[in-house]
Amino acid sequence: MASHRKSPPPGTRVAGIRTPALATAALTSVALLSQTATAAPSTDDKPSIEEVEKKVDDLYRQAESATEKYNSAKEKTSKQRKEVDTLLDDVAQRTQKLNEAREELGSFAAAQYRTGASAPDTATFLLADSPQDYFDQTQLMGRMTSRQKDAVDDYVTEQSATMKKRQEATDSLATLSESQSDLKTAKATVQRKLSAARELLSQLTAEEKARLAAIEKQKQEEAARKAAELAKQQAAEQKAAEEAAAAEESASSSSSSSEASDASYATKADKALAFARSQVGKPYVWGATGPDSYDCSGLTQAAWNAAGISLPRTTYDQVNAGTTVTLANARPGDLVFFYDDVTHVGIYIGNGKMIHAPKPGAYVREESIYYDGESAIHSVVRPA
């Protein structure tokens, strides 16, 4: 009996297997769905709140690093601008002297021309490319008076000095231009990092923001616990040091000297801390040095300046402006530096806490030195 089944329509061959047209259509649909999935990721690909928190923190850290580079470039640019201004003033003064010397030589030439004495030679001198080259010709020098020779010497000397100063000014202007370019680059980097952080935060839902706040609170609680541990350790070591000092009464003279030094530092530190406390609540603004806002190194610089101690502008330089001490021996007034690239600093107030300008969007505040974990602490420096 003949079969009534129709022959299957010709299909296509995939990997050596002939497939029906229907299967081909299905494969096409799968490919289209795959492309759509690639073009528009599902919400399952959205980063977790922990990942967002880390990314935002990293962006703020990068912005602070760029801020310190900006501060360094700004300070360098300011110094170079002053140097350039000084050089340009010097060039202007020397040019004036050069013009006066040229006028004096011109008066000699005019007098010689009126009397007919050596007029051609003097005129040739004034038209020469290099006065010094011309005066190598001893014929003219032999006919000059002492006063004329002095005028020529002054002219040649002043011309040489002026040319040298002009070259120095040109070189300094080139260096200044390079520093201004670095300043512009650092500024753009700060703004780009801050903009990226704000964009990430703006995309969070109310629930995600609440979870982010909970994560931050947990970090603060852990930081406070670590600070309390350090405070106990420091108190125990201080007590042991006092007992050891009391047992060494025979070394009273050296102890007296040490106590005087400690008292002097404590007095200065008290002034620095009083200033820092009076700034609590003011906003962090990158590149700011007060009085209305600060970045981290701007605050520590201003605080110690209030105590009569001049600190450099940037964290990179402040970390070398004093004596490094261990964390266990940290005393109020010491500077606590953070991260391997030394891009953050706060002023220690005791009990594991500090006053610092934390980051963009935050305010000057008291906080545990473990605010970003124990590993973030780089070093402690006593500036005076």
Side-chain angles (χ1 to χ4, degrees):
M1 181 175 176
S3 173
H4 294 285
R5 293 174 61 188
K6 294 182 180 180
S7 300
T12 57
R13 185 174 296 275
V14 178
I17 302 175
R18 184 175 296 278
T19 59
L22 182 61
T24 302
L27 286 173
T28 303
S29 298
V30 170
L32 289 172
L33 287 172
S34 176
Q35 292 174 1
T36 302
T38 301
S42 67
T43 54
D44 292 340
D45 294 331
K46 185 176 180 179
S48 68
I49 192 64
E50 289 79 12
E51 291 171 334
V52 171
E53 188 259 352
K54 184 179 185 306
K55 181 63 175 177
V56 169
D57 279 353
D58 286 346
L59 285 168
Y60 278 140
R61 279 267 297 105
Q62 292 167 21
E64 193 166 39
S65 177
T67 294
E68 288 305 310
K69 291 178 181 177
Y70 170 86
N71 291 338
S72 180
K74 185 177 181 181
E75 185 177 43
K76 185 177 180 181
T77 299
S78 178
K79 290 179 179 178
Q80 289 170 344
R81 185 175 288 111
K82 290 179 181 178
E83 291 175 1
V84 167
D85 289 342
T86 300
L87 284 169
L88 290 176
D89 287 344
D90 194 3
V91 168
Q93 293 174 5
R94 290 184 178 279
T95 299
Q96 177 62 30
K97 291 181 179 179
L98 189 62
N99 291 336
E100 291 172 356
R102 186 181 291 112
E103 290 174 1
E104 186 174 7
L105 288 174
S107 66
F108 289 146
Q112 289 176 332
Y113 182 78
R114 285 194 299 271
T115 60
S118 305
D121 288 333
T122 306
T124 302
F125 160 72
L126 291 173
L127 294 174
D129 291 335
S130 170
Q132 187 61 58
D133 290 344
Y134 182 81
F135 284 118
D136 287 339
Q137 302 176 31
T138 57
Q139 293 90 342
L140 180 60
M141 292 296 288
R143 290 195 294 271
M144 285 187 170
T145 64
S146 175
R147 184 181 173 189
Q148 287 174 317
K149 289 179 181 178
D150 289 343
V152 169
D153 288 341
D154 290 344
Y155 178 83
V156 172
T157 299
E158 201 59 50
Q159 183 190 51
S160 176
T162 301
M163 291 177 65
K164 182 178 179 180
K165 287 297 179 181
R166 282 177 180 166
Q167 186 59 52
E168 288 181 15
T170 299
D171 293 343
S172 293
L173 281 169
T175 304
L176 175 60
S177 178
E178 182 180 344
S179 296
Q180 288 174 327
S181 177
D182 292 342
L183 185 65
K184 185 177 180 181
T185 299
K187 182 176 181 179
T189 301
V190 174
Q191 293 172 330
R192 186 171 63 253
K193 299 298 182 182
L194 293 182
S195 177
R198 285 192 291 265
E199 177 64 22
L200 274 174
L201 291 173
S202 70
Q203 295 173 2
L204 297 179
T205 64
E207 180 182 355
E208 288 171 332
K209 289 179 180 178
R211 288 175 59 196
L212 189 63
I215 291 174
E216 182 63 25
K217 182 179 179 181
Q218 186 177 10
K219 287 174 62 177
Q220 291 177 355
E221 289 173 349
E222 175 61 17
R225 184 186 67 79
K226 293 288 293 182
E229 289 179 358
L230 178 62
K232 289 181 180 179
Q233 178 186 357
Q234 290 178 330
E237 292 190 1
Q238 177 65 25
K239 181 178 180 181
E242 290 174 353
E243 290 174 350
E248 296 179 357
E249 295 180 359
S250 59
S252 59
S253 59
S254 61
S255 297
S256 175
S257 175
S258 176
E259 290 173 2
S261 177
D262 290 346
S264 174
Y265 179 76
T267 299
K268 295 173 183 176
D270 285 345
K271 292 180 180 178
L273 288 172
F275 178 91
R277 288 192 174 95
S278 70
Q279 309 310 306
V280 169
K282 293 184 178 181
Y284 176 106
V285 173
W286 64 275
T289 57
D292 300 322
S293 57
Y294 297 89
D295 62 18
C296 66
S297 55
L299 175 64
T300 51
Q301 182 189 48
W304 270 103
N305 186 60
I309 301 298
S310 178
L311 290 182
R313 173 65 181 95
T314 69
T315 53
Y316 310 130
D317 294 323
Q318 288 183 10
V319 73
N320 297 314
T323 303
T324 300
V325 298
T326 64
L327 184 58
N329 290 322
R331 293 166 53 185
D334 292 349
L335 301 180
V336 186
F337 293 90
F338 297 85
Y339 311 116
D340 292 339
D341 55 357
V342 198
T343 52
H344 188 68
V345 62
I347 184 167
Y348 192 63
I349 60 176
N351 296 323
K353 296 181 179 180
M354 66 179 173
I355 296 174
H356 69 147
K359 60 185 178 181
Y363 297 82
V364 175
R365 65 193 183 203
E366 292 188 11
E367 192 165 28
S368 167
I369 61 173
Y370 299 102
Y371 80 106
D372 203 20
E374 187 172 2
S375 62
I377 298 174
H378 177 274
S379 58
V380 181
V381 172
R382 189 158 297 155

